[in-house]
Amino acid sequence: MGKVTGFLEIDRQVHKYQPASDRIRHFREFTLPMSDKEVEKQAARCMDCGIPYCHGPTGCPIHNQIPDWNDLVYNGDWDNAIRNLHSTNNFPEFTGRICPAPCEEACTLNLEDIPVAIKTIEQAIADKAYETGHIRPYPPERKTGKRVAVIGSGPAGMAAAQQLGRAGHDVHVYERESRPGGLMRYGIPDFKIEKHYIDRRIEQMQGEGVSFHCGVNVGVDKPVAELLAEYDAVLYCGGSETPRPANIPGDDLDGVHDAMPYLVQQNKRIGGEPIQSVAWPSRPIVAGGQHVVVVGGGDTASDCVGTAFRQGAVRVTQLDIRPQPPEKEDKLSVWPYWATKMRTSSSQAEGAEREFQVATLEFIGEDGQLTGVKCCEVDEKRKPIAGTEFVIRADLAFIAIGFAGPAARGPVSELAGQMKIAIDSRRSKNVEANDRDYRTSVEKLYAAGDVRRGQSLVVWAIREGRQAARAIDEALMGSSVLPR
């Protein structure tokens, strides 16, 4: 695949970034695109490694045929590269921007810390496809007469809707917010993915016959039972959006917020929408001139960091209860799996102060207003170490420690009360459905994405949406030509 000796002759190169001093002045994407020739050279580095772990279960959840499209790009066949990429991934321009790229971790060349620049190449293929007009509506040749409703328009709902629409079904997507995209639109900042990429896909899907109904909160405005009566199948892709409880004293102080209302508000500002959200109502939250503390070490916490800097925060400190990981992993014991090692996101590189192996003991305030965060060091069992307490000044604090299941109000609460839908045994209250046919315990109701598996990656959501679409098509028609 690629050039036989390419990995020996060509150094790894990926997108460059605008300098941090420039990019924190705006909310636009800040990657600097590579030329087609540069991308083709990077694709040439894909070696004939025998067993390409990059697109196996350890690397890519949707099994992108990475060596194949690398070879096509190397040979300048960009049209067939996007056809190949679309055969497994409905939205490569999304994953090429926001996926953490476990495929690169699984790359054989990562044994030498120089993996193929898979994520960069994937994004380039998708962007090139738009330039050349390859990404356009592909309506079905014939309609089946079957009607399918999809609850939620995040990546799982969008992928399922597109697949089902192309199979000839009449697909209707119900979205609680004013625009489609789910947390991909409202939770992920514009500096990671600008929302016109989502708009272009929505326009394509509408051209293929998919209908979107925004501003409809299923389970509140419209009962699920009504959908089940109107449609031949209903797919629930509501996501995982209930914040995991931190149970930190003082979390009721003015200035302490869950991460999501903050991120949603800023995305709505940029999108020209009123900042109030159906799911995350809150007073305006702005970090300009503030000392900010972010509790949590994941992607959502990092998004809060980058957003705070762009709003003009004076100082941003990120707290992580986990110990500081090693700079480099032991390849022979970890590869090809995702390794625990020191990683610095683009937002953290913009000036965040990071504290590791630190617990948040209490939010401190005066007259109901947050003034500081009391912390301490912890041992290897995450138990506080006496005598290590310290206080960080804080005007704003964001809790970003993950999500614990679907929204409290909505389809799950309605179904649990009226239809006794099965919930999995974990405390997260996810909807119970297997990953073969995606059926729930309610007749005609399916579930896919984070509402079924728990909080996860966009790439996993796309996989589940595609597989659920295949299962629904098979159930409605007796067989299916949709890929699994």
Side-chain angles (χ1 to χ4, degrees):
M1 299 300 172
K3 186 178 181 181
V4 175
T5 56
F7 71 98
L8 297 171
E9 301 170 12
I10 303 167
D11 292 334
R12 169 181 161 89
Q13 298 290 334
V14 295
H15 285 152
K16 298 293 191 297
Y17 292 160
Q18 290 178 358
S21 58
D22 293 338
R23 66 182 188 248
I24 62 171
R25 300 176 187 275
H26 61 78
F27 280 88
R28 301 183 304 276
E29 290 182 18
F30 50 79
T31 54
L32 304 176
M34 297 168 65
S35 69
D36 290 355
K37 291 300 179 186
E38 289 174 321
V39 175
E40 288 169 7
K41 285 177 63 177
Q42 290 305 305
R45 297 185 64 247
C46 190
M47 59 189 294
D48 187 6
C49 57
I51 301 176
Y53 286 97
C54 60
H55 70 75
T58 55
C60 182
I62 48 178
H63 304 294
N64 281 339
Q65 299 170 103
I66 294 163
D68 300 73
W69 45 255
N70 273 331
D71 185 59
L72 290 166
V73 170
Y74 164 57
N75 286 292
D77 191 353
W78 291 77
D79 284 349
N80 277 319
I82 188 60
R83 289 189 183 95
N84 186 297
L85 186 46
H86 271 152
S87 71
T88 57
N89 184 356
N90 294 68
F91 314 120
E93 69 275 26
F94 300 168
T95 53
R97 285 172 164 80
I98 57 179
C99 182
C103 52
E104 293 189 16
E105 291 284 305
C107 178
T108 301
L109 289 177
N110 192 40
L111 288 167
E112 298 294 328
D113 292 313
I114 50 171
V116 175
I118 300 168
K119 181 176 175 179
T120 294
I121 297 167
E122 180 178 20
Q123 179 181 333
I125 294 171
D127 290 348
K128 180 79 168 178
Y130 273 110
E131 292 174 16
T132 57
H134 185 85
I135 299 180
R136 59 184 185 274
Y138 293 93
E141 294 181 0
R142 60 181 63 86
K143 302 293 281 187
T144 65
K146 301 292 186 180
R147 303 180 75 230
V148 182
V150 178
I151 304 170
S153 66
M158 284 181 65
Q162 184 165 61
Q163 294 295 94
L164 288 165
R166 288 176 173 176
H169 303 303
D170 182 19
V171 181
H172 293 257
V173 181
Y174 291 85
E175 169 56 44
R176 180 186 56 206
E177 297 291 340
S178 57
R179 297 177 186 173
L183 286 191
M184 196 162 52
R185 178 184 294 275
Y186 292 108
I188 298 176
D190 275 55
F191 57 79
K192 290 176 73 172
I193 179 170
E194 293 180 11
K195 303 311 182 282
H196 61 84
Y197 295 107
I198 301 173
D199 294 335
R200 291 195 304 195
R201 283 295 182 180
I202 298 301
E203 185 178 347
Q204 179 197 32
M205 292 169 65
Q206 288 173 330
E208 295 169 351
V210 176
S211 300
F212 289 86
H213 307 273
C214 294
V216 181
N217 192 356
V218 175
V220 178
D221 304 330
K222 187 177 182 68
V224 181
E226 200 173 293
L227 292 181
L228 290 168
E230 293 176 9
Y231 293 90
D232 297 292
V234 177
L235 175 61
Y236 180 25
C237 298
S240 179
E241 54 189 24
T242 298
R244 183 170 287 120
N247 298 319
I248 300 171
D251 61 4
D252 57 343
L253 288 169
D254 191 9
V256 180
H257 305 274
D258 287 316
M260 203 48 65
Y262 176 57
L263 297 175
V264 170
Q265 280 189 18
Q266 185 55 39
N267 281 326
K268 282 178 169 280
R269 285 190 190 98
I270 295 171
E273 299 182 59
I275 64 171
Q276 285 303 321
S277 167
V278 176
W280 297 282
S282 177
R283 289 185 297 154
I285 312 168
V286 181
Q290 308 288 298
H291 289 72
V292 178
V293 171
V294 181
V295 180
D299 290 337
T300 303
S302 181
D303 292 345
C304 289
V305 170
T307 301
F309 278 130
R310 283 160 179 76
Q311 289 183 344
V314 174
R315 177 186 179 190
V316 181
T317 305
Q318 186 175 358
L319 307 179
D320 195 332
I321 199 168
R322 299 169 298 182
Q324 182 168 337
E327 290 292 331
K328 189 174 179 180
E329 74 274 28
D330 179 3
K331 300 288 187 183
L332 295 182
S333 65
V334 177
W335 182 86
Y337 298 97
W338 185 262
T340 299
K341 62 182 176 182
M342 189 65 176
R343 302 175 192 271
T344 301
S345 71
S346 59
S347 294
Q348 291 163 341
E350 290 162 0
E353 298 180 27
R354 302 171 70 183
E355 297 279 355
F356 290 96
Q357 210 160 345
V358 163
T360 305
L361 297 179
E362 182 183 2
F363 294 113
I364 301 170
E366 294 179 5
D367 300 323
Q369 175 64 48
L370 176 72
T371 59
V373 181
K374 184 178 180 181
C375 312
C376 73
E377 297 176 13
V378 297
D379 59 22
E380 63 277 2
K381 295 183 178 179
R382 300 186 178 183
K383 300 296 183 184
I385 299 174
T388 63
E389 296 84 359
F390 61 97
V391 175
I392 301 173
R393 177 182 170 183
D395 307 301
L396 274 178
F398 299 113
I399 302 172
I401 58 172
F403 302 89
R409 291 185 71 222
V412 168
S413 57
E414 180 198 333
L415 291 165
Q418 296 179 11
M419 303 180 188
K420 307 302 181 187
I421 189 171
I423 304 297
D424 68 18
S425 56
R426 294 172 294 178
R427 286 181 290 176
S428 55
K429 304 189 188 310
N430 296 328
V431 175
E432 188 172 286
N434 64 44
D435 61 358
R436 299 299 302 175
D437 61 21
Y438 290 89
R439 292 177 184 268
T440 71
S441 58
V442 176
E443 184 68 23
K444 296 201 302 184
L445 181 66
Y446 300 76
D450 288 5
V451 76
R452 188 200 72 85
R453 66 178 288 116
Q455 85 174 59
S456 190
L457 304 176
V458 165
V459 70
W460 273 106
I462 293 173
R463 168 185 168 141
E464 295 219 347
R466 287 171 61 89
Q467 291 186 339
R470 157 86 186 210
I472 292 170
D473 187 40
E474 203 166 24
L476 294 179
M477 305 303 295
S479 63
S480 178
V481 296
L482 293 176
R484 196 178 189 283

